[in-house]
Amino acid sequence: MTANKTLLWMKYGHVINAISLRENIDLEQAMDIFYKSYTYQEMREGISDMHCRSDEYLAEEIAREG
C-alpha cells in the first residue's frame, strides 16, 4: 500500500516529535536520527506499511536500531 505523500510527510513530523519526547532531545537531533534510520527507509519505500503504525511504536523501533 502506498501512502499519500502529504499524509506521509505529516507522519514523519509526528514520528520526529515522538522521538524528541522519548529521548528528551531537541527536534533537530530527532530529525537527524529519524532520517538516518532504517525505519524511515521502509516508510519512504512503502515496505510493510510502516506508515500505518503508531508514532510511538515507530519511535521505539528507531530507538532499537541505535
Side-chain angles (χ1 to χ4, degrees):
M1 178 177 162
T2 303
N4 175 291
K5 296 284 185 196
T6 303
L7 294 177
L8 198 54
W9 278 100
M10 289 174 59
K11 183 68 170 182
Y12 294 164
H14 289 262
V15 175
I16 290 166
N17 189 56
I19 293 168
S20 175
L21 293 172
R22 176 185 168 79
E23 302 297 326
N24 197 25
I25 57 176
D26 63 38
L27 290 171
E28 188 174 332
Q29 291 174 300
M31 192 180 319
D32 188 53
I33 292 168
F34 175 74
Y35 284 114
K36 290 179 179 177
S37 72
Y38 180 72
T39 301
Y40 164 68
Q41 291 176 9
E42 287 184 326
M43 290 175 70
R44 187 185 68 215
E45 295 172 13
I47 298 171
S48 304
D49 290 337
M50 291 297 283
H51 61 279
C52 295
R53 306 197 189 260
S54 75
D55 304 335
E56 291 76 20
Y57 174 87
L58 293 169
E60 186 175 322
E61 282 296 307
I62 291 168
R64 287 183 193 166
E65 291 179 30

